[in-house]
Amino acid sequence: MAKKKIVVEGRLWIEIEGRNFLGAGRIELLEKIENLGSLRKAAISMGLSYQKAYYALRSMNDLAPAPLVELRQGGKGGGCAILTETGREFVLKYKKISQAFVIFLTKQSTVL
Amino acid sequence: MAKKKIVVEGRLWIEIEGRNFLGAGRIELLEKIENLGSLRKAAISMGLSYQKAYYALRSMNDLAPAPLVELRQGGKGGGCAILTETGREFVLKYKKISQAFVIFLTKQSTVL
DNA sequence: CTGCGTTATTCATAAATATGAATAACGATA
DNA sequence: TATCGTTATTCATATTTATGAATAACGCAG
């Protein structure tokens, strides 16, 4: 019998004041917003309902020291969603931490 | 205004063949079983329904190279649940990995 | 062979989440 | 002022998950 593949897996997120602030899904949402310029399109593109994405974004913006995304309604194109400088910074920080996490996990898997 | 407390949090688990094998909750269950000698008592002591604990244990035993817990029905006391040597080994391994994870998380929190 | 408390199993219901529909509000542009 | 596609919000309904009730099976001890 072949030996079964056994690995360590995990999830990471950032909390502010003990509340969920940023996880993998929210980071993906922020990146899609940056690319598409629209919350609705970003949500749909990652198979997420608009409502869920909207509430997630509200939660993020409320918790963050400054808004991660600026939402505008009306106007040219009906409205838009713009990733702020603060948003870009948090995306970068999260991805750095995430990279370190992958290394951590593969290393831990070797001891099993 | 005081600066908000911002930290990196995470969860760890072990997968076998891509399926969930051991996480924090299951480890706690195994430890309670070792202490109490009963699956039912272990489940209740951690606010878990017996069924959920039972199915979790079935899943663990099925995935593991050898059963983590031996279940016996009938007999003195009505039955019992005994943590096996394999079970003890996995508990130890998980706790070691978990300790390393705590250190990882606190270190990553410093870059925020 | 009866009693005991556990393991083993099913089922209906409760609770929590997710999803989609529907619609108002908005503001630049033509 | 009408149009457009987005943001903003509510609501009913599916879907999933969790919970508790109920009961059979088991095997040692008395």
Side-chain angles (χ1 to χ4, degrees), chain B residues 39-41 50 54-55 58 71 73 78:
Chain B
L39 175 56
R40 168 158 264 121
K41 285 177 186 168
Y50 172 79
Y54 176 74
Y55 286 119
R58 280 283 295 266
L71 293 176
Q73 65 174 347

Side-chain angles (χ1 to χ4, degrees), chain B residues 64-83:
Chain B
L68 307 184
V69 172
E70 186 185 339
L71 293 176
R72 294 185 193 151
Q73 65 174 347
K76 180 181 178 182
C80 62
I82 302 165
L83 190 67

Side-chain angles (χ1 to χ4, degrees), chain B residues 28-58:
Chain B
E28 184 182 351
L29 182 65
L30 294 179
E31 290 181 314
K32 298 262 186 187
I33 286 172
E34 185 173 31
N35 291 335
L36 301 172
S38 155
L39 175 56
R40 168 158 264 121
K41 285 177 186 168
I44 291 172
S45 81
M46 57 187 288
L48 210 60
S49 69
Y50 172 79
Q51 298 97 313
K52 200 168 180 182
Y54 176 74
Y55 286 119
L57 199 49
R58 280 283 295 266

Side-chain angles (χ1 to χ4, degrees), chain A residues 4-50:
Chain A
K4 289 181 183 172
K5 189 184 176 188
I6 175 167
V7 297
V8 180
E9 287 291 341
R11 293 169 54 79
L12 272 193
W13 63 90
I14 299 173
E15 289 188 0
I16 292 183
E17 296 285 310
R19 300 177 61 183
N20 178 44
F21 173 54
L22 277 180
R26 291 183 172 189
I27 291 294
E28 185 183 350
L29 183 65
L30 294 179
E31 290 180 315
K32 299 261 184 189
I33 287 173
E34 185 171 32
N35 291 334
L36 302 172
S38 154
L39 175 56
R40 167 159 265 120
K41 286 177 184 166
I44 291 172
S45 81
M46 58 188 286
L48 209 61
S49 68
Y50 171 80

Side-chain angles (χ1 to χ4, degrees), chain B residues 2-111:
Chain B
K3 201 156 202 277
K4 289 181 184 174
K5 188 183 175 187
I6 176 168
V7 296
V8 181
E9 286 290 339
R11 297 170 60 80
L12 270 193
W13 63 90
I14 299 174
E15 289 187 0
I16 292 185
E17 297 286 310
R19 301 177 60 184
N20 177 43
F21 173 54
L22 277 181
R26 290 182 172 190
I27 291 295
E28 184 182 351
L29 182 65
L30 294 179
E31 290 181 314
K32 298 262 186 187
I33 286 172
E34 185 173 31
N35 291 335
L36 301 172
S38 155
L39 175 56
R40 168 158 264 121
K41 285 177 186 168
I44 291 172
S45 81
M46 57 187 288
L48 210 60
S49 69
Y50 172 79
Q51 298 97 313
K52 200 168 180 182
Y54 176 74
Y55 286 119
L57 199 49
R58 280 283 295 266
S59 169
M60 283 185 249
N61 277 345
D62 287 352
L63 284 171
L68 307 184
V69 172
E70 186 185 339
L71 293 176
R72 294 185 193 151
Q73 65 174 347
K76 180 181 178 182
C80 62
I82 302 165
L83 190 67
T84 67
E85 185 56 34
T86 303
R88 267 191 294 275
E89 285 171 10
F90 272 110
V91 169
L92 274 179
K93 284 178 185 172
Y94 184 88
K95 298 194 94 169
K96 277 216 166 184
I97 294 171
S98 194
Q99 284 172 17
F101 191 41
V102 170
I103 293 171
F104 172 85
L105 290 177
T106 56
K107 184 179 176 185
Q108 295 300 324
S109 292
T110 62
V111 308

